[in-house]
Amino acid sequence: MPQQPFPINDIRSTSRRLVRELGFMGGDFAGTDLPPSAVHALIEIEACPDITARDLGKLLRLEKSSVSRMLRKLVLSGDVREETDGGDSRIKRLRLTGQGQEQVSAIHGFANRQVSGALTQLTSADADTILQGLRLYADALGDRTDTVAPSMEILEGYRPGIIARITQMHALYYARTSGFGQRFESVVAEGLAAFCNRLESPKNEIWVAMRGQEIIGSVAIDGEDLGADIAHLRWFIVDDGVRGGGVGRRLLETALAFVDEKGFAETHLWTFNGLLAARHLYEAHGFKCVEEHPGSQWGSEVLEQRFVRSRPE
């Protein structure tokens, strides 16, 4: 089961690219000649009429002096007007003028076209993934303690979509890391489908890690294909987006608890050399590498390894 640390450098690189693609680095932003902070201010004033300058500053995370300068320019340009609060003359409420409303309407039109144009190149599932990912990442960056991400749980047994999803995780990961192609994907799908037809046996079981309605990891114990008293640990994978977060450890511990409960003498698994985090996880749970040899059956040569764990005394 491949495990790696969080892809911090890749996330930072992609974030910088996103900032550039959205026009934050200069030139026209959102189809206007306004700076990004002013564009955001107009949108938030539209969304919350009568917002105060103080609250707007908190929302945009700008200092008081920066908010004052920006609002002064927006008032002078005729996009925003300030109105004295009826109960406290020290408080200024912000509203869009007619010109400001037209400006915001144009901004929305530009942004909608920009997003729609990007999404036409993707599937609806991709769009949902982007939305969920952006929400989670923005909340995490903001340290939102009031935001609860979907909890992860380990569920036992077959459920609709399990064969396709587990196959997809394997195919995508090993295509990227090892150059495996159609042959590997077909073998994973065929073997997993055949195994699911044998789940009625008390020696066999499969588990998935679920986050909300999404499968983000899997592991299985096949108690029949290697002979009597040997458990075969198979289809151990964690989705790229959660790798390194402890999901793999929980899956492995769940599977090994099943092995020990059933009284198997040994547990075997096959993997590939180079997956160092996975190897450390296996060895931490009592596995030892007992065999390795080069193989190219999947399209590119790798060093295949067999690990064995004996029943605890």
Side-chain angles (χ1 to χ4, degrees), residues 291-305:
E291 178 185 354
E292 59 182 16
H293 60 79
S296 57
Q297 59 179 318
W298 311 119
S300 60
E301 186 166 305
V302 292
L303 188 63
E304 298 184 6
Q305 299 174 319

Side-chain angles (χ1 to χ4, degrees), residues 124-137:
S124 58
D126 290 333
D128 290 338
T129 299
I130 291 170
L131 176 59
Q132 181 183 22
L134 287 173
R135 281 175 173 168
L136 289 173
Y137 189 41

Side-chain angles (χ1 to χ4, degrees), residues 1-282:
M1 192 284 301
Q3 264 195 329
Q4 295 179 346
F6 289 123
I8 294 174
N9 288 335
D10 289 340
I11 291 174
R12 290 181 58 204
S13 176
T14 303
S15 296
R16 293 194 299 273
R17 182 184 173 194
L18 181 61
V19 166
R20 293 194 296 269
E21 295 293 343
L22 289 173
F24 279 88
M25 301 304 292
D28 291 343
F29 180 74
T32 76
D33 59 356
L34 297 172
S37 59
V39 170
H40 283 230
L42 291 174
I43 292 173
E44 298 303 337
I45 294 171
E46 180 203 35
C48 187
D50 294 331
I51 190 173
T52 66
R54 179 181 179 181
D55 289 340
L56 181 64
K58 288 182 179 179
L59 187 62
L60 299 182
R61 299 196 176 190
L62 294 175
E63 294 181 356
K64 181 179 179 181
S65 59
S66 298
V67 174
S68 296
R69 287 193 299 271
M70 176 185 63
L71 288 176
R72 190 178 306 117
K73 291 179 181 179
L74 290 175
V75 169
L76 290 174
S77 68
D79 291 318
V80 173
R81 68 172 181 268
E82 295 178 321
E83 298 180 354
T84 302
D85 183 86
D88 189 339
S89 60
R90 297 170 298 176
I91 297 176
K92 301 294 185 182
R93 301 288 179 180
L94 304 175
R95 283 182 172 273
L96 295 180
T97 63
Q99 176 181 307
Q101 291 171 352
E102 292 179 3
Q103 179 86 283
V104 171
S105 178
I107 290 170
H108 288 317
F110 179 92
N112 288 340
R113 290 191 299 273
Q114 188 179 40
V115 174
S116 297
L119 294 182
T120 57
Q121 305 177 54
L122 305 171
T123 67
S124 58
D126 290 333
D128 290 338
T129 299
I130 291 170
L131 176 59
Q132 181 183 22
L134 287 173
R135 281 175 173 168
L136 289 173
Y137 189 41
D139 288 339
L141 285 173
D143 192 23
R144 283 278 301 278
T145 56
D146 61 331
T147 300
V148 179
S151 60
M152 191 275 290
E153 56 182 340
I154 306 295
L155 301 181
E156 179 180 291
Y158 171 81
R159 62 200 56 254
I162 192 174
I163 297 172
R165 176 59 177 144
I166 294 174
T167 299
Q168 180 192 45
M169 286 190 291
H170 279 79
L172 293 177
Y173 181 82
Y174 287 102
R176 187 180 75 252
T177 61
S178 303
F180 295 170
Q182 176 267 320
R183 172 62 180 162
F184 175 76
E185 183 173 350
S186 294
V187 169
V188 171
E190 291 167 4
L192 183 55
F195 172 75
C196 286
N197 287 332
R198 297 189 282 113
L199 282 174
E200 70 277 0
S201 169
K203 294 183 176 182
N204 303 330
E205 193 52 86
I206 191 166
W207 299 264
V208 290
M210 301 288 298
R211 184 177 58 191
Q213 299 301 309
E214 180 188 15
I215 296 174
I216 57 174
S218 67
V219 67
I221 292 295
D222 189 334
E224 298 178 318
D225 69 330
L226 295 182
D229 227 15
I230 297 178
H232 187 185
L233 190 144
R234 311 179 72 181
W235 301 294
F236 189 18
I237 189 80
V238 170
D239 185 67
D240 284 343
V242 296
R243 189 165 290 118
V247 177
R249 182 177 298 276
R250 284 188 57 184
L251 283 165
L252 181 59
E253 291 173 351
T254 299
L256 294 180
F258 174 85
V259 167
D260 295 340
E261 177 188 344
K262 297 297 182 182
F264 287 101
E266 293 182 342
T267 306
H268 294 206
L269 68 86
W270 283 95
T271 185
F272 307 113
N273 183 48
L275 306 176
L276 298 181
R279 178 166 185 158
H280 291 158
L281 184 62
Y282 299 143

